[in-house]
Amino acid sequence: LTGILILNLIVRSLITLTCTIASGAKSIEWLKGEAVMTEGTDYTKVAVAASESDDLVSKIEFDIADDSAATYKCRGTQYDDFCSTQRKFESEDVVLTIIAAVPKVNPADATAYG
């Protein structure tokens, strides 16, 4: 994810987010606001094609609900044998706003003249 992205989505639509961390990251977690999201509860993990690079890729999707408006981002953890201190870093924000899918009220009965 690069740069701040602002999305306006309708409730019941589906969104897919992809996060790629270059060169040797050990893990990726997804955040909604400051809370860590849970696979299976908050999102579904999407299979990612194998890559010849050592980049780590995470792809998720979830249905847009009434409470989905938030800021989303991924957080990577990186460390290796030469630098055993874990370093965490976060992507730019993806700001999701919701367009309410509220049905319109039916108009009053009318008679058409022809």
Side-chain angles (χ1 to χ4, degrees):
L1 303 170
T2 305
I4 295 175
L5 179 63
I6 299 174
L7 302 171
N8 297 308
L9 295 175
I10 297 174
V11 171
R12 294 187 303 254
S13 50
L14 179 75
I15 186 170
T16 302
L17 300 175
T18 304
C19 180
T20 302
I21 301 177
S23 192
K26 301 298 182 188
S27 67
I28 295 176
E29 58 189 357
W30 289 91
L31 302 157
K32 178 181 179 183
E34 297 302 317
V36 176
M37 298 173 70
T38 304
E39 181 180 356
T41 302
D42 299 317
Y43 66 87
T44 302
K45 199 172 206 175
V46 177
V48 178
S51 172
E52 293 182 20
S53 73
D54 61 351
D55 295 351
L56 184 61
V57 180
S58 175
K59 189 173 187 178
I60 65 168
E61 66 183 15
F62 56 92
D63 293 318
I64 302 303
D66 291 328
D67 63 349
S68 295
T71 299
Y72 296 85
K73 57 187 158 188
C74 67
R75 177 167 55 200
T77 302
Q78 194 161 20
Y79 59 92
D80 58 26
D81 293 337
F82 300 106
C83 180
S84 59
T85 303
Q86 291 187 7
R87 301 285 182 210
K88 292 186 183 271
F89 48 94
E90 296 179 352
S91 69
E92 295 291 335
D93 294 344
V94 174
V95 179
L96 179 61
T97 57
I98 302 303
I99 300 169
V102 179
K104 293 186 175 190
V105 176
N106 289 332
D109 291 339
T111 304
Y113 297 97

